[in-house]
Structures are given as C-alpha cells and as structure tokens.
C-alpha cells in the first residue's frame, strides 16, 4: 500500500451570529483520478482495479489567516463529509470538538471509514459543517490536508 495526500482550500465566511445549530461552513469539489494516482505511485505496475481499500490516515486543518479573534477556538465543533459521483451517500470523514484556546492548526486521525466507493469516482465533494461558540469578524481561509492510505 501507499499514502497519498489531497489538499484543498476553502473560505469559511464570516459567521456574525452564534447559532444553537450546526451551520454549513463550505464545500470543496475537485476532479480525481484514482487510476492515474495509483499508476504514478507504483511506476505503472498497478491501477485502480488493484486497490481494495482506501481509508483516511490523518487530517490536518490550517487556518492561514488566523488571528486572536478569529481562529479554531471560535468553533465548538466541525464535521467533514465526502460524497462523489459514484457514491452520493455522504460519509462522515471526521467530527471534532475544538478546545476553547487559540489555535490556527489542528491534526486528527481518520475514523476508519472505507472510501474506495467514493474515490473510484471522478467528481469528489467535501462538505464542512460546524457549530461556533463565538462569532468571526472575517472570512477564514482554511487549508485541509487529507492523508489517505491505499492498499
């Protein structure tokens, strides 16, 4: 097996109210070609048909323009879901509760969800939802790195 990283960026709009409910925070769509990735990582010896499992190994969240009033501590919790053109049933990739302490980065492990049926598609969508504990006064630029293990 091998690990590969998918990075995506999204802008979380300013959240001017504290909602008692979880809110949609952004969505990212991209084109994916599992066969090309597998062939590139195995010198052409294997293709997508040889991959039996893909699971998230790690998530890294980085707010690139965090400041003391606008950072991960503004959010109580965040969840990220995936769906694709080959499996449109959303799967939760992770759910996390943040500490109420300044942070611009966060790392967590995957939750063992099998992703092969999603990543055999070509159009992948990640959706982020969150519940805030404080308002934010500006949009936040977020880079999310997803490290997946293919075997």
């Amino acid at each position: 097996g091998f690990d590969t990283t998918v990075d995506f960026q999204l802008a979380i709009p300013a959240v001017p109210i504290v909602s008692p409910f979880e809110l949609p925070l952004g969505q990212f769509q991209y084109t994916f070609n599992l066969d090309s990735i597998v062939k590139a990582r195995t010198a052409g010896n294997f293709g997508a048909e040889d991959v039996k499992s893909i699971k998230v190994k790690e998530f890294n969240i980085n707010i690139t323009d965090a400041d003391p009033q606008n950072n991960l501590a503004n959010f109580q919790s965040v969840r990220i879901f995936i769906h694709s053109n080959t499996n449109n049933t959303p799967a939760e990739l992770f759910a996390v509760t943040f500490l109420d302490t300044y942070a611009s980065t966060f790392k967590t492990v995957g939750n063992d969800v099998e992703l092969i049926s999603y990543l055999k598609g070509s159009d992948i969508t990640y959706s982020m939802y969150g519940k805030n504990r404080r308002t934010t006064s500006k949009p936040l630029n977020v880079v999310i790195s997803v490290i997946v293990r293919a075997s």
Side-chain angles (χ1 to χ4, degrees):
F2 62 88
D3 295 346
T4 193
T5 302
V6 177
D7 293 326
F8 59 96
Q9 294 182 312
L10 57 90
I12 297 175
V15 184
I17 61 165
V18 175
S19 171
F21 308 105
E22 185 176 73
L23 301 171
L25 298 177
Q27 196 170 68
F28 178 79
Q29 298 174 325
Y30 71 101
T31 302
F32 188 79
N33 187 323
L34 179 62
D35 195 53
S36 292
I37 292 170
V38 173
K39 286 179 179 174
R41 302 285 263 149
T42 63
N45 293 318
F46 299 98
E49 68 279 358
D50 299 303
V51 176
K52 305 302 179 222
S53 177
I54 300 177
K55 295 185 178 184
V56 173
K57 184 175 176 181
E58 182 179 295
F59 281 96
N60 295 293
I61 300 171
N62 180 20
I63 297 179
T64 60
D65 56 352
D67 62 42
Q69 289 73 43
N70 299 279
N71 60 78
L72 290 173
N74 291 68
F75 298 91
Q76 179 179 324
S77 60
V78 167
R79 298 186 306 147
I80 292 185
F81 291 82
I82 186 174
H83 69 274
S84 75
N85 61 315
T86 55
N87 188 339
N88 62 8
T89 302
E92 185 177 271
L93 294 178
F94 81 86
V96 65
T97 299
F98 296 115
L99 297 176
D100 192 4
T101 305
Y102 174 87
S104 62
T105 62
F106 183 82
K107 181 190 295 190
T108 188
V109 295
N111 63 3
D112 213 35
V113 170
E114 181 55 63
L115 300 177
I116 191 77
S117 66
Y118 297 93
L119 298 180
K120 284 197 173 182
S122 59
D123 300 315
I124 311 297
T125 302
Y126 289 104
S127 301
M128 179 185 276
Y129 300 88
K131 182 167 182 340
N132 62 329
R133 65 169 56 96
R134 284 185 291 284
T135 62
T136 56
S137 61
K138 66 179 186 179
L140 298 175
N141 294 307
V142 180
V143 176
I144 299 177
S145 295
V146 182
I147 301 170
V148 296
R149 177 80 177 160
S151 55

